[in-house]
mmCIF file of all heavy atoms in Angstrom:
data_model
loop_
_atom_site.group_PDB
_atom_site.id
_atom_site.type_symbol
_atom_site.label_atom_id
_atom_site.label_comp_id
_atom_site.label_asym_id
_atom_site.label_seq_id
_atom_site.Cartn_x
_atom_site.Cartn_y
_atom_site.Cartn_z
ATOM 1 N N TRP A 677 11.598 18.027 2.582
ATOM 2 C CA TRP A 677 11.648 18.799 3.825
ATOM 3 C C TRP A 677 12.752 19.830 3.689
ATOM 4 O O TRP A 677 13.798 19.541 3.080
ATOM 5 C CB TRP A 677 11.941 17.847 4.996
ATOM 6 C CG TRP A 677 12.069 18.526 6.323
ATOM 7 C CD1 TRP A 677 11.076 18.773 7.217
ATOM 8 C CD2 TRP A 677 13.255 19.077 6.895
ATOM 9 N NE1 TRP A 677 11.571 19.433 8.319
ATOM 10 C CE2 TRP A 677 12.911 19.634 8.138
ATOM 11 C CE3 TRP A 677 14.598 19.171 6.467
ATOM 12 C CZ2 TRP A 677 13.844 20.265 8.955
ATOM 13 C CZ3 TRP A 677 15.516 19.789 7.281
ATOM 14 C CH2 TRP A 677 15.148 20.331 8.514
ATOM 15 N N PRO A 678 12.567 21.044 4.207
ATOM 16 C CA PRO A 678 11.421 21.545 4.968
ATOM 17 C C PRO A 678 10.206 21.820 4.091
ATOM 18 O O PRO A 678 10.278 21.766 2.868
ATOM 19 C CB PRO A 678 11.965 22.833 5.592
ATOM 20 C CG PRO A 678 13.007 23.300 4.624
ATOM 21 C CD PRO A 678 13.660 22.047 4.090
ATOM 22 N N VAL A 679 9.088 22.102 4.753
ATOM 23 C CA VAL A 679 7.862 22.420 4.029
ATOM 24 C C VAL A 679 8.076 23.721 3.265
ATOM 25 O O VAL A 679 8.503 24.730 3.834
ATOM 26 C CB VAL A 679 6.672 22.547 5.006
ATOM 27 C CG1 VAL A 679 5.429 23.042 4.292
ATOM 28 C CG2 VAL A 679 6.417 21.210 5.689
ATOM 29 N N ASP A 680 7.762 23.671 1.957
ATOM 30 C CA ASP A 680 7.981 24.845 1.120
ATOM 31 C C ASP A 680 6.769 25.078 0.225
ATOM 32 O O ASP A 680 5.691 24.504 0.439
ATOM 33 C CB ASP A 680 9.267 24.682 0.292
ATOM 34 C CG ASP A 680 9.247 23.443 -0.601
ATOM 35 O OD1 ASP A 680 8.150 22.870 -0.830
ATOM 36 O OD2 ASP A 680 10.324 23.023 -1.070
ATOM 37 N N ALA A 681 6.940 25.888 -0.793
ATOM 38 C CA ALA A 681 5.822 26.263 -1.660
ATOM 39 C C ALA A 681 5.245 25.080 -2.420
ATOM 40 O O ALA A 681 4.099 25.144 -2.886
ATOM 41 C CB ALA A 681 6.267 27.350 -2.639
ATOM 42 N N SER A 682 6.007 23.984 -2.563
ATOM 43 C CA SER A 682 5.486 22.827 -3.289
ATOM 44 C C SER A 682 4.294 22.216 -2.559
ATOM 45 O O SER A 682 3.454 21.555 -3.178
ATOM 46 C CB SER A 682 6.582 21.774 -3.479
ATOM 47 O OG SER A 682 6.961 21.186 -2.245
ATOM 48 N N TYR A 683 4.197 22.431 -1.247
ATOM 49 C CA TYR A 683 3.077 21.886 -0.478
ATOM 50 C C TYR A 683 1.776 22.625 -0.779
ATOM 51 O O TYR A 683 0.696 22.040 -0.724
ATOM 52 C CB TYR A 683 3.377 21.957 1.014
ATOM 53 C CG TYR A 683 4.290 20.848 1.506
ATOM 54 C CD1 TYR A 683 5.665 20.906 1.321
ATOM 55 C CD2 TYR A 683 3.766 19.746 2.168
ATOM 56 C CE1 TYR A 683 6.502 19.898 1.776
ATOM 57 C CE2 TYR A 683 4.598 18.725 2.631
ATOM 58 C CZ TYR A 683 5.954 18.809 2.430
ATOM 59 O OH TYR A 683 6.775 17.797 2.874
ATOM 60 N N THR A 684 1.867 23.908 -1.048
ATOM 61 C CA THR A 684 0.655 24.680 -1.327
ATOM 62 C C THR A 684 0.299 24.696 -2.806
ATOM 63 O O THR A 684 -0.830 25.036 -3.166
ATOM 64 C CB THR A 684 0.808 26.127 -0.836
ATOM 65 O OG1 THR A 684 1.955 26.721 -1.463
ATOM 66 C CG2 THR A 684 0.989 26.157 0.668
ATOM 67 N N ALA A 685 1.247 24.300 -3.665
ATOM 68 C CA ALA A 685 0.998 24.362 -5.108
ATOM 69 C C ALA A 685 -0.156 23.463 -5.529
ATOM 70 O O ALA A 685 -0.846 23.752 -6.512
ATOM 71 C CB ALA A 685 2.268 23.981 -5.877
ATOM 72 N N ALA A 686 -0.357 22.350 -4.789
ATOM 73 C CA ALA A 686 -1.428 21.414 -5.140
ATOM 74 C C ALA A 686 -2.621 21.546 -4.209
ATOM 75 O O ALA A 686 -3.522 20.701 -4.233
ATOM 76 C CB ALA A 686 -0.898 19.983 -5.098
ATOM 77 N N SER A 687 -2.677 22.587 -3.393
ATOM 78 C CA SER A 687 -3.697 22.703 -2.353
ATOM 79 C C SER A 687 -5.056 23.081 -2.933
ATOM 80 O O SER A 687 -5.203 24.108 -3.605
ATOM 81 C CB SER A 687 -3.276 23.756 -1.325
ATOM 82 O OG SER A 687 -4.341 24.059 -0.458
ATOM 83 N N GLY A 688 -6.053 22.269 -2.633
ATOM 84 C CA GLY A 688 -7.412 22.609 -3.026
ATOM 85 C C GLY A 688 -7.949 23.799 -2.271
ATOM 86 O O GLY A 688 -8.865 24.483 -2.733
ATOM 87 N N VAL A 689 -7.403 24.064 -1.088
ATOM 88 C CA VAL A 689 -7.810 25.237 -0.312
ATOM 89 C C VAL A 689 -7.293 26.508 -0.981
ATOM 90 O O VAL A 689 -8.039 27.475 -1.186
ATOM 91 C CB VAL A 689 -7.289 25.124 1.136
ATOM 92 C CG1 VAL A 689 -7.616 26.381 1.923
ATOM 93 C CG2 VAL A 689 -7.875 23.898 1.822
ATOM 94 N N GLU A 690 -6.022 26.513 -1.322
ATOM 95 C CA GLU A 690 -5.407 27.702 -1.914
ATOM 96 C C GLU A 690 -5.983 28.030 -3.287
ATOM 97 O O GLU A 690 -5.991 29.192 -3.708
ATOM 98 C CB GLU A 690 -3.893 27.502 -2.032
ATOM 99 C CG GLU A 690 -3.177 27.277 -0.708
ATOM 100 C CD GLU A 690 -3.124 28.534 0.144
ATOM 101 O OE1 GLU A 690 -3.207 29.644 -0.414
ATOM 102 O OE2 GLU A 690 -3.013 28.393 1.381
ATOM 103 N N HIS A 691 -6.468 27.016 -4.008
ATOM 104 C CA HIS A 691 -6.911 27.220 -5.394
ATOM 105 C C HIS A 691 -8.401 26.974 -5.577
ATOM 106 O O HIS A 691 -8.865 26.756 -6.697
ATOM 107 C CB HIS A 691 -6.116 26.302 -6.315
ATOM 108 C CG HIS A 691 -4.635 26.517 -6.259
ATOM 109 N ND1 HIS A 691 -4.001 27.552 -6.916
ATOM 110 C CD2 HIS A 691 -3.648 25.841 -5.596
ATOM 111 C CE1 HIS A 691 -2.704 27.509 -6.667
ATOM 112 N NE2 HIS A 691 -2.462 26.480 -5.869
ATOM 113 N N ALA A 692 -9.164 27.025 -4.491
ATOM 114 C CA ALA A 692 -10.592 26.724 -4.563
ATOM 115 C C ALA A 692 -11.336 27.644 -5.527
ATOM 116 O O ALA A 692 -12.339 27.239 -6.136
ATOM 117 C CB ALA A 692 -11.210 26.811 -3.170
ATOM 118 N N ASP A 693 -10.869 28.862 -5.685
ATOM 119 C CA ASP A 693 -11.554 29.815 -6.559
ATOM 120 C C ASP A 693 -11.466 29.427 -8.032
ATOM 121 O O ASP A 693 -12.187 29.985 -8.868
ATOM 122 C CB ASP A 693 -10.964 31.215 -6.362
ATOM 123 C CG ASP A 693 -9.478 31.278 -6.728
ATOM 124 O OD1 ASP A 693 -8.715 30.395 -6.288
ATOM 125 O OD2 ASP A 693 -9.093 32.196 -7.463
ATOM 126 N N LYS A 694 -10.635 28.448 -8.369
ATOM 127 C CA LYS A 694 -10.482 28.021 -9.760
ATOM 128 C C LYS A 694 -11.475 26.930 -10.150
ATOM 129 O O LYS A 694 -11.456 26.455 -11.292
ATOM 130 C CB LYS A 694 -9.058 27.504 -10.001
ATOM 131 C CG LYS A 694 -7.948 28.540 -9.817
ATOM 132 C CD LYS A 694 -6.586 27.920 -10.136
ATOM 133 C CE LYS A 694 -5.461 28.949 -10.074
ATOM 134 N NZ LYS A 694 -5.229 29.441 -8.718
#
Side-chain angles (χ1 to χ4, degrees):
W677 178 90
V679 173
D680 58 16
S682 68
Y683 281 79
T684 57
S687 169
V689 176
E690 299 289 336
H691 301 281
D693 62 312
K694 297 182 175 67

